[in-house]
Amino acid sequence: MQSPIFPITDDHIHIDPVNGRGREAAKDFLRAGGTHIFLVSKPSWSLSVYPSRGADYALVFDETLRVARMIEETGIVVFPVLGVHPAEISRLSERMPLTEAAEIMKAGIDVAAAYVKEGKAVALKSGRPHYEVSPEVLIASNDILNHALNRAAECRCALQIHAESGLCTDIADMARNAGFPVERVVKHYGSPDTPLHPSLIAKHEAIPQLTREHRAFTMESDFMDENSRPGAVLGPKSVPRYTHQLLRESLITEEDCYRIHAETVGKVYGVKIKL
Ligand SMILES: [Zn+2]
């Protein structure tokens, strides 16, 4: 393996040593030239956690932090991102009234915010269902998202969101109302036209064009690391692999790589990215 000459950051990846390849997947990222990852907590059910109160999310977050320490042993720099997956509302409300489900999710976000305040994680995660839901569920989900924006504003940390595809202009308005900088709301699986900060899937075709325009974006694989769903999105090598491919094809320069993988990431998440 050649030592990397610039940082390569995947800002939305999951590593799961219980249900997936764990350390081996992380090593794939490293061998492909990756250096930094934002390790996002998985939905509670995928870790066989079935919360009945907000504090139960600590089990999910502690597992994310355990995995983070395990990956760091490989030499990758890991930034944990903790929060409550928006689809939890559908799972929880199968077992309890909607209002109770929403309260548990908000309390889970409070637990994540406490971890950020302790310096154990760098960002929060929230959002709203990306699939069709009833008006009641949508209202409850927006309320949870608003709660997360307020917690992120208090913690002065970035907020990753998982939401329906499209602009999400109203989420930018919600952020402004919460006194939270819109450019620190990271739209996971984003598109270039969103007013939020787009985290683009590594193979997104607009990357060369956006790079030429000096538009701010970050890159992600959304690798799930679940053996039952191999290649559900992209593999763990995707961000370094596509970055190197674009370089080889002279569609981006090394200077662009620094801007995408170090400067932009640093500004959005308030972390220092260096080799
Ligand atoms: Zn994800």
Side-chain angles (χ1 to χ4, degrees):
M1 188 182 71
Q2 275 187 323
S3 44
I5 43 176
F6 48 79
I8 293 188
T9 308
D10 187 330
D11 87 328
H12 187 111
I13 187 169
H14 311 273
I15 299 285
D16 184 342
V18 179
N19 303 294
R21 295 176 56 229
R23 192 193 305 261
E24 290 310 310
K27 281 186 185 165
D28 278 355
F29 172 79
L30 188 69
R31 277 192 286 263
T35 59
H36 295 66
I37 65 171
F38 286 74
L39 183 72
V40 182
S41 57
K42 295 191 80 171
S44 60
W45 66 83
S46 71
L47 302 174
S48 305
V49 174
Y50 302 97
S52 56
R53 58 201 178 110
D56 292 340
Y57 281 98
L59 297 168
V60 177
F61 304 153
D62 287 340
E63 172 64 5
T64 310
L65 298 179
R66 183 185 77 84
V67 174
R69 285 190 291 271
M70 188 195 82
I71 300 168
E72 271 166 347
E73 287 169 12
T74 66
I76 298 170
V77 179
V78 184
F79 300 109
V81 177
L82 303 178
V84 177
H85 195 288
E88 305 245 359
I89 197 152
S90 305
R91 300 277 183 145
L92 289 174
S93 54
E94 285 170 7
R95 294 193 276 122
M96 61 185 77
L98 181 62
T99 47
E100 197 179 323
E103 286 312 311
I104 290 177
M105 289 173 70
K106 284 195 223 172
I109 289 164
D110 293 346
V111 175
Y115 279 59
V116 171
K117 282 183 187 154
E118 289 170 35
K120 292 178 177 167
V122 301
L124 293 175
K125 182 201 168 159
S126 181
R128 62 187 177 199
H130 60 279
Y131 45 89
E132 189 112 16
V133 292
S134 69
E136 295 76 31
V137 170
L138 185 58
I139 289 168
S141 296
N142 276 327
D143 181 41
I144 296 163
L145 172 54
N146 199 39
H147 183 79
L149 282 163
N150 281 288
R151 285 289 170 270
E154 267 171 39
C155 294
R156 295 174 181 274
C157 71
L159 176 69
Q160 278 201 11
I161 63 152
H162 186 146
E164 76 280 6
S165 54
L167 298 178
C168 295
T169 309
D170 65 316
I171 298 179
D173 294 335
M174 285 165 74
R176 283 183 207 102
N177 290 336
F180 187 74
V182 177
E183 63 276 14
R184 299 193 77 192
V185 182
V186 178
K187 174 90 193 294
H188 152 60
Y189 216 93
S191 53
D193 49 2
T194 179
L196 308 173
H197 171 85
S199 174
L200 301 176
I201 200 78
K203 64 175 180 188
H204 201 292
E205 60 197 4
I207 288 175
Q209 174 73 27
L210 297 172
T211 304
R212 280 194 295 279
E213 294 169 0
H214 281 217
R215 293 264 298 278
F217 65 90
T218 41
M219 287 170 70
E220 65 174 54
S221 62
D222 196 22
F223 175 61
M224 288 296 295
D225 202 13
E226 283 179 14
N227 291 334
S228 59
R229 297 169 62 201
V233 187
L234 293 179
K237 299 178 205 166
S238 306
V239 171
R241 190 196 267 163
Y242 282 103
T243 299
H244 279 291
Q245 187 180 323
L246 293 170
L247 259 179
R248 270 198 310 278
E249 293 170 355
S250 301
L251 292 169
I252 60 174
T253 64
E254 275 183 29
E255 205 185 322
D256 294 329
C257 291
Y258 265 108
R259 204 172 58 248
I260 298 164
H261 293 289
E263 282 175 27
T264 303
V265 173
K267 265 186 225 160
V268 170
Y269 291 97
V271 297
K272 241 194 158 33
I273 304 278
K274 54 181 192 321
L275 287 182

